[in-house]
Amino acid sequence: MSFTKLDQLGHKLEALEHALAILGADEATHMAVGGGEKRAEAMAALAGMHHRQATAPEIADWIEAAEGETLSEEQQTALREFRRQYTNMTCLPTEFVERQTTARMRCEQLWRDLRAKNDWAGFLPALEGVIALVREEAAMRAEALGLAPYDALMEQYDPGHRAADITPVLSELKTFLKGFVPEALAVQEERLAKTPLRPLSGVYAIERQRELGLAMMAAVGFDLTHGSLSVSHHPFCGGVPSDVRITTRYKTTEFLSSLMGVLHETGHAMYEQNLPKQWSHWPLGKARGMAMHESQSLFVEKQLGRNPAFWDWALPLVEQHLGESWSKADILPHVHLVKPGLIRVDADEVTYPLHVILRFELEQDLVSGKLNAVDLPEAWDAKMRDYLGLSTIDTPQDGPMQDVHWPGGAFGYFPSYTLGAMMAAQQWAALEKQHPAVNDDVAKGRFDAVTDWRRQNIWSQASRFSTPEIMERATGEKLNAAYFTSHLKERYGA
Amino acid sequence: MSFTKLDQLGHKLEALEHALAILGADEATHMAVGGGEKRAEAMAALAGMHHRQATAPEIADWIEAAEGETLSEEQQTALREFRRQYTNMTCLPTEFVERQTTARMRCEQLWRDLRAKNDWAGFLPALEGVIALVREEAAMRAEALGLAPYDALMEQYDPGHRAADITPVLSELKTFLKGFVPEALAVQEERLAKTPLRPLSGVYAIERQRELGLAMMAAVGFDLTHGSLSVSHHPFCGGVPSDVRITTRYKTTEFLSSLMGVLHETGHAMYEQNLPKQWSHWPLGKARGMAMHESQSLFVEKQLGRNPAFWDWALPLVEQHLGESWSKADILPHVHLVKPGLIRVDADEVTYPLHVILRFELEQDLVSGKLNAVDLPEAWDAKMRDYLGLSTIDTPQDGPMQDVHWPGGAFGYFPSYTLGAMMAAQQWAALEKQHPAVNDDVAKGRFDAVTDWRRQNIWSQASRFSTPEIMERATGEKLNAAYFTSHLKERYGA
């Protein structure tokens, strides 16, 4: 039976994915500093084995034959995802992939070096090379998938989202935010004029911060028998569903950003930990995509962790671990601080979407050819001034050179961040409709209803449906910016 | 060129070995408790890929063809080790290996359960099954390698050692020890009657013990940029040469055994860290075998770490980390405590070889058929009474049920422990001949001459020669028990 062959292949691929995931997490946490070269060699060889096995020509025949077999509904759905994975992995010729990998790696290395030097001119030719290849890639993916070129790129990260559907939603959000950011800043200014920000600036031993983070992780539902918290330079969520590795970094003089980071990664981790175990070796059993994943991390960080009700419960826990007795009036102005800036990864939840929309608009034009890399600094600066009133014309390192995504060739990824933020707000609203007392629960540290809703509507669905389908089934309607704008108005508005 | 195919195969196998080594070390140190089942699945699948790739039929043709190619001397030596590995891995039919793996796993699981219950009768049938299969295995290996059956088993662990060569050496040692153990105990008793043992029983925080261990590791030559120290239930040395993972376990009330364990694993680790890097993907580049490996760990633990001169240097370091000001008269009676007991792994360096010789004698008879498992408790007890004056007739859990080796089917492995101890003493003597002032160096914490000798004579040799050949080249003579007995007489004698 051909489906059985696919099932067996799934087990082999899962083993290689397990090795790659643990080796990757280990590299950033426990590896000796001198172990990198051999680790890179080993991981490249394992990734090569994975790619060869996942793209073998006979798999096309197995999928074809399996489609004629008598399969359960579950197997049929699994088969559809096997086909999706196989198509996405094989639609580019090997020769092209190798050429593209070389160009991306060169551009990324150059970026690491030249961003620090603010050297746009030196960086431009490499970026032009990557963009030329991504245009080729988009055309080939479009052909294979029957999609528009930019949609075909997005399809890798976020199955089912189309520019035609998300553009109006993001436009609505943009229009709202251009008016709302000044309003939120005015509200904040007025409040801080009355009650100045009280610094949260004690010195807190890393071990105590770690214990606080672990206590919060466990309370919101991270399963510590199937995951752990370590330290790394850049926080991440890695590992495998049976052993999810999340990381943070600590400053003894600044506990809040580390703690919020832990909650963010906890959101990612709980999605992985709660995927259906019986499907773990099928593409069907994987998390749906980057937007859905980001909705889960932002759900825990923004909807739960920055929710004022959460701090009713959290402040005594903070006091127990850090020995500080703060009131909500002390901490919420820090938790909700709005501060427009040039750097996306440092942005608050109000201004963050404008960073993403800027990139979404520019990268569509870069892929279509309407915009060329040489014109990026001006185009970026114009939008930055329009959306946030800030200029990057003299600092390309804080403009089009600030992210690794484009040098790395990841076009079509950026929208996931803000789609995730909107999806999280819409999920929260759906949950609140079903459990109107959810904030009372949260204020008491009771997260069961929250977890049950997420398990039933998101985690258990894995890749059964496309991203927009899962959202519609979970919340009863299509993606709607109103939930996110309401959320912002309630938290930051007048 | 067929040699090139072997070379490329070596890179693929190295990547899988890297993954298996890191996944294995991670499992014992950083894995979440619930991650075991999926880890086992992944490692079994990767081990299967490794075995399939390493034993593919075409490799026989490549080796055959490569032997007709014009190769450098280095490549010829590499080829010889490719052939040795291939022969050892393919001389058993797959059907047999599967049957044996099942029997061993069942017997090991039963052993874990029944040893605790002292249930020899329940355990016996499973052990009989394993022994029946090891007799078959020895016959097949003997046929393929042109060796005697027991030699063919030893060849897996320790290439080049033959029972006919090591038996006289181990017999000489046995005769010596049967007289020397009572002598050493009498000497100790007399000394303790004069100066009773002063307990080293403070409470030392794990973090301080860890720092002390790391300081000693670094001082004796462990490269902390290519390895690390963690905690695990059973101490081990794992990982890969570019990132060696050693572990220990701590008791706050007992620092010495943990510290000696760290030195032991450091000895293993330095061998791995200093193997020739350009050969790392060839069998030639691997450590020679278990006896040589054990000689390296025992060299650091026994020849260096329990050397009185070492404590001239080490005591101030201990004081710096633990805050205790001990004299050599305080610590050496602990470092050199002799205490005959039933359990091999707890034995001191004087009595340990008798535990090994007992097993070496019994397992040869088990393999040849002269002895059957049903008669083991009596045979074990008789030797135990003869060698150490202790009886195990009522406690098989502390007799033939005490080790995992036989239930796991590892016959031919035990001699490595004591061959390693003798080899370490002989290496030390050769080093001392070349550097008569070595103890003065050690007393000052200067380990350069020691490290240089080991690098030149042992580590750089990797698998260029058989175990006895490396020893003869390094020390100028064949394995000679006199070095080890002199060492014991000097340290423990009248």
Side-chain angles (χ1 to χ4, degrees):
Chain A
M1 195 170 147
S2 288
F3 186 83
T4 309
K5 288 182 193 158
L6 292 169
D7 185 65
Q8 286 162 351
L9 172 71
H11 282 294
K12 283 188 212 165
L13 297 178
E14 188 188 20
L16 287 163
E17 289 157 12
H18 182 116
L20 285 162
I22 297 295
L23 291 175
D26 178 87
E27 178 165 1
T29 50
H30 303 299
M31 190 180 77
V33 291
E37 196 180 323
K38 277 288 162 190
R39 177 62 53 86
E41 268 179 47
M43 288 183 71
L46 292 169
M49 288 177 208
H50 183 274
H51 191 263
R52 261 190 311 283
Q53 293 190 33
T55 59
E58 59 267 31
I59 297 172
D61 307 329
W62 298 347
I63 292 171
E64 198 78 15
E67 283 169 350
E69 288 168 353
T70 307
L71 300 177
S72 68
E73 203 189 315
E74 180 181 77
Q75 288 172 327
Q76 287 174 34
T77 316
L79 182 58
R80 184 201 67 209
E81 291 301 314
F82 270 117
R83 181 179 277 285
R84 182 201 302 276
Q85 174 176 292
Y86 187 74
T87 307
N88 272 286
M89 287 185 79
T90 55
C91 62
L92 305 177
T94 309
E95 169 279 323
F96 176 82
V97 171
E98 285 167 3
R99 201 150 43 92
Q100 195 180 36
T101 304
T102 310
R104 287 170 169 184
M105 284 181 60
R106 221 186 96 245
C107 189
E108 242 189 87
Q109 284 159 3
L110 214 59
W111 170 77
R112 273 176 225 290
D113 181 30
L114 298 182
R115 187 192 171 201
K117 300 178 181 156
N118 203 26
D119 180 0
W120 170 257
F123 172 64
L124 179 60
L127 183 63
E128 286 175 327
V130 168
I131 290 172
L133 288 166
V134 93
R135 288 171 184 167
E136 276 190 70
E137 179 191 353
M140 286 188 278
R141 289 191 181 276
E143 172 75 24
L145 300 172
L147 293 173
Y150 185 79
D151 287 349
L153 293 176
M154 280 205 296
E155 185 73 3
Q156 299 169 84
Y157 307 113
D158 200 12
H161 273 147
R162 307 286 171 248
D165 299 324
I166 65 172
T167 301
V169 185
L170 289 168
S171 297
E172 188 190 330
L173 179 60
K174 179 171 76 166
T175 307
F176 167 78
L177 287 176
K178 284 171 69 174
F180 185 70
V181 170
E183 176 187 326
L185 286 169
V187 169
Q188 177 173 270
E189 201 175 339
E190 196 181 332
R191 204 190 49 234
L192 292 180
K194 273 190 244 162
T195 319
L197 210 57
R198 179 180 158 187
L200 306 173
S201 59
V203 171
Y204 310 111
I206 287 172
E207 193 47 42
R208 286 200 276 160
Q209 291 192 45
R210 176 178 149 80
E211 291 300 325
L212 172 61
L214 286 168
M216 280 207 186
M217 286 161 65
V220 303
F222 184 104
D223 175 0
L224 285 164
T225 68
H226 289 93
S228 56
L229 171 67
S230 302
V231 172
S232 69
H233 191 64
H234 295 286
F236 65 81
C237 171
V240 292
S242 54
D243 183 11
V244 181
R245 309 282 172 104
I246 74 169
T247 68
T248 188
R249 51 189 165 189
Y250 298 102
K251 278 193 200 166
T252 53
T253 53
E254 218 297 271
F255 80 99
L256 192 61
S257 74
S258 171
L259 188 62
M260 288 293 116
V262 167
L263 288 174
H264 185 93
E265 303 308 334
T266 295
H268 283 305
M270 289 173 72
Y271 192 5
E272 293 292 319
Q273 287 185 330
N274 290 285
L275 290 166
K277 289 176 187 37
Q278 74 278 16
W279 297 344
S280 70
H281 63 296
W282 290 345
L284 172 60
K286 305 282 192 288
R288 176 67 291 183
M290 303 321 301
M292 193 61 79
H293 233 306
E294 197 67 12
S295 80
Q296 295 310 292
S297 56
L298 293 174
F299 189 98
V300 174
E301 184 202 335
K302 310 288 192 197
Q303 299 299 325
L304 272 185
R306 296 188 193 264
N307 181 336
F310 181 84
W311 290 93
D312 285 323
W313 165 75
L315 279 173
L317 196 68
V318 170
E319 183 173 355
Q320 184 187 324
H321 287 277
L322 305 187
E324 298 276 13
S325 174
W326 288 307
S327 68
K328 280 170 80 176
D330 293 328
I331 201 149
L332 287 181
H334 291 275
V335 171
H336 295 155
L337 196 68
V338 180
K339 198 173 178 189
L342 298 176
I343 306 299
R344 175 184 58 85
V345 296
D346 296 336
D348 56 82
E349 66 176 324
V350 181
T351 55
Y352 197 110
L354 291 170
H355 290 271
V356 167
I357 291 165
L358 174 153
R359 287 156 178 77
F360 172 60
E361 292 170 344
L362 293 178
E363 73 177 9
Q364 286 180 88
D365 289 349
L366 287 170
V367 170
S368 72
K370 259 193 234 164
L371 178 68
N372 287 311
V374 67
D375 299 319
L376 254 180
E378 285 71 27
W380 188 290
D381 180 67
K383 283 187 189 286
M384 202 65 191
R385 282 188 286 113
D386 182 18
Y387 302 167
L388 285 169
L390 300 167
S391 171
T392 58
I393 198 69
D394 296 323
T395 51
Q397 66 187 156
D398 295 335
M401 285 179 90
Q402 83 177 251
D403 299 301
V404 70
H405 302 61
W406 290 347
F411 289 76
Y413 188 110
F414 276 123
S416 307
Y417 294 114
T418 287
L419 294 171
M422 287 193 285
M423 287 157 67
Q426 187 164 332
Q427 289 163 21
W428 180 266
L431 161 65
E432 205 169 13
K433 207 165 169 187
Q434 202 171 314
H435 301 280
V438 64
N439 276 328
D440 297 340
D441 274 13
V442 167
K444 291 175 185 134
R446 293 188 195 140
F447 302 101
D448 288 359
V450 178
T451 298
D452 287 347
W453 189 93
R454 298 170 72 204
R455 178 179 290 113
Q456 187 183 330
N457 290 284
I458 310 293
W459 306 334
S460 68
Q461 301 306 300
S463 290
R464 281 182 70 199
F465 306 100
S466 73
T467 305
E469 282 165 350
I470 292 176
M471 274 304 288
E472 200 169 340
R473 294 171 67 97
T475 67
E477 62 182 300
K478 286 189 193 308
L479 186 66
N480 182 343
Y483 294 102
F484 185 60
T485 56
S486 299
H487 158 74
L488 293 181
K489 280 190 276 189
E490 194 191 323
R491 190 171 287 178
Y492 301 93
Chain B
M1 194 168 147
S2 287
F3 186 83
T4 309
K5 287 182 195 159
L6 291 169
D7 185 65
Q8 287 162 350
L9 172 72
H11 282 294
K12 282 187 211 165
L13 296 179
E14 189 188 19
L16 287 164
E17 288 156 13
H18 182 117
L20 285 163
I22 298 295
L23 292 175
D26 178 88
E27 178 166 1
T29 51
H30 303 300
M31 189 181 77
V33 291
E37 195 180 322
K38 277 287 162 191
R39 178 62 52 86
E41 268 179 46
M43 289 183 71
L46 292 168
M49 288 177 208
H50 183 274
H51 191 263
R52 261 191 309 283
Q53 294 191 33
T55 59
E58 59 267 30
I59 297 172
D61 305 330
W62 299 347
I63 292 172
E64 199 78 15
E67 281 168 351
E69 289 168 351
T70 308
L71 301 177
S72 68
E73 202 189 315
E74 181 182 74
Q75 289 172 325
Q76 287 173 36
T77 317
L79 183 57
R80 184 202 68 209
E81 291 300 315
F82 270 118
R83 182 181 276 286
R84 182 202 301 278
Q85 174 177 290
Y86 188 73
T87 307
N88 273 287
M89 286 185 81
T90 55
C91 61
L92 305 177
T94 308
E95 169 278 322
F96 176 82
V97 171
E98 286 168 3
R99 202 149 42 92
Q100 195 180 36
T101 304
T102 309
R104 286 171 169 182
M105 284 182 59
R106 221 188 94 243
C107 189
E108 242 188 87
Q109 283 161 3
L110 214 58
W111 170 78
R112 273 176 226 290
D113 181 30
L114 298 183
R115 188 193 170 200
K117 300 177 180 156
N118 203 27
D119 181 359
W120 170 257
F123 173 64
L124 178 60
L127 183 61
E128 285 176 327
V130 167
I131 291 173
L133 288 166
V134 93
R135 288 172 183 165
E136 276 191 70
E137 178 191 354
M140 286 188 276
R141 290 192 180 276
E143 173 75 23
L145 300 172
L147 293 173
Y150 185 77
D151 288 347
L153 293 176
M154 279 204 297
E155 186 73 4
Q156 299 170 83
Y157 307 113
D158 199 11
H161 272 146
R162 308 286 171 247
D165 299 324
I166 64 172
T167 301
V169 186
L170 289 168
S171 296
E172 188 190 330
L173 179 60
K174 178 170 77 168
T175 305
F176 166 78
L177 286 177
K178 283 171 71 174
F180 184 71
V181 169
E183 178 188 324
L185 286 170
V187 168
Q188 177 172 272
E189 202 177 338
E190 197 181 332
R191 204 189 51 232
L192 292 180
K194 274 192 243 161
T195 319
L197 209 60
R198 179 178 158 188
L200 306 174
S201 58
V203 171
Y204 309 111
I206 286 173
E207 194 46 43
R208 286 202 275 159
Q209 292 193 46
R210 177 178 148 81
E211 291 301 325
L212 172 60
L214 286 167
M216 281 207 185
M217 286 162 64
V220 303
F222 184 104
D223 175 0
L224 285 164
T225 68
H226 289 93
S228 56
L229 171 67
S230 301
V231 171
S232 69
H233 191 64
H234 295 286
F236 65 81
C237 170
V240 293
S242 54
D243 183 11
V244 181
R245 309 284 171 103
I246 73 168
T247 67
T248 187
R249 51 189 165 189
Y250 298 102
K251 277 193 200 167
T252 53
T253 53
E254 218 296 271
F255 81 99
L256 192 61
S257 74
S258 170
L259 188 63
M260 288 292 115
V262 167
L263 289 173
H264 184 94
E265 303 308 335
T266 295
H268 283 304
M270 288 173 73
Y271 192 6
E272 294 291 319
Q273 287 184 331
N274 290 284
L275 289 166
K277 290 178 187 33
Q278 73 279 17
W279 297 345
S280 70
H281 62 297
W282 290 345
L284 172 60
K286 303 283 192 291
R288 175 65 290 185
M290 303 321 300
M292 194 61 80
H293 234 304
E294 198 66 13
S295 80
Q296 296 310 293
S297 56
L298 293 174
F299 189 99
V300 174
E301 183 202 336
K302 310 287 190 195
Q303 300 299 323
L304 272 185
R306 296 187 194 265
N307 181 336
F310 181 85
W311 289 93
D312 285 323
W313 165 75
L315 280 172
L317 195 69
V318 170
E319 183 173 356
Q320 185 187 321
H321 287 277
L322 305 188
E324 298 276 12
S325 173
W326 289 307
S327 68
K328 279 170 79 177
D330 293 329
I331 202 149
L332 288 182
H334 291 275
V335 171
H336 295 155
L337 196 67
V338 180
K339 198 173 178 187
L342 297 177
I343 305 299
R344 175 184 60 84
V345 294
D346 295 337
D348 55 84
E349 66 175 325
V350 181
T351 56
Y352 196 109
L354 291 170
H355 290 273
V356 167
I357 291 166
L358 173 152
R359 286 157 179 75
F360 172 60
E361 293 170 343
L362 293 179
E363 73 178 9
Q364 286 180 87
D365 289 349
L366 287 169
V367 170
S368 73
K370 260 193 233 162
L371 178 67
N372 287 310
V374 67
D375 299 318
L376 254 179
E378 285 72 28
W380 188 288
D381 180 67
K383 284 189 190 284
M384 202 64 192
R385 282 188 286 113
D386 182 17
Y387 301 167
L388 285 168
L390 299 168
S391 171
T392 57
I393 198 68
D394 296 324
T395 52
Q397 67 188 156
D398 295 335
M401 284 178 89
Q402 83 177 251
D403 299 301
V404 70
H405 301 61
W406 290 347
F411 289 76
Y413 187 110
F414 277 122
S416 308
Y417 294 113
T418 288
L419 294 170
M422 288 193 285
M423 287 158 67
Q426 187 164 332
Q427 290 164 19
W428 180 265
L431 161 65
E432 205 169 12
K433 208 166 168 186
Q434 202 171 313
H435 301 281
V438 63
N439 276 328
D440 298 341
D441 275 13
V442 168
K444 291 175 186 135
R446 293 188 194 141
F447 302 101
D448 288 359
V450 178
T451 297
D452 288 348
W453 189 93
R454 297 170 73 202
R455 179 179 289 113
Q456 188 182 331
N457 290 284
I458 310 291
W459 306 333
S460 68
Q461 301 306 300
S463 290
R464 281 182 70 201
F465 306 101
S466 72
T467 306
E469 282 165 349
I470 292 177
M471 273 303 289
E472 200 168 341
R473 294 172 67 98
T475 67
E477 61 180 302
K478 287 190 193 307
L479 186 67
N480 182 343
Y483 294 103
F484 184 61
T485 58
S486 299
H487 158 74
L488 293 181
K489 279 190 278 189
E490 194 191 323
R491 190 170 286 178
Y492 301 92

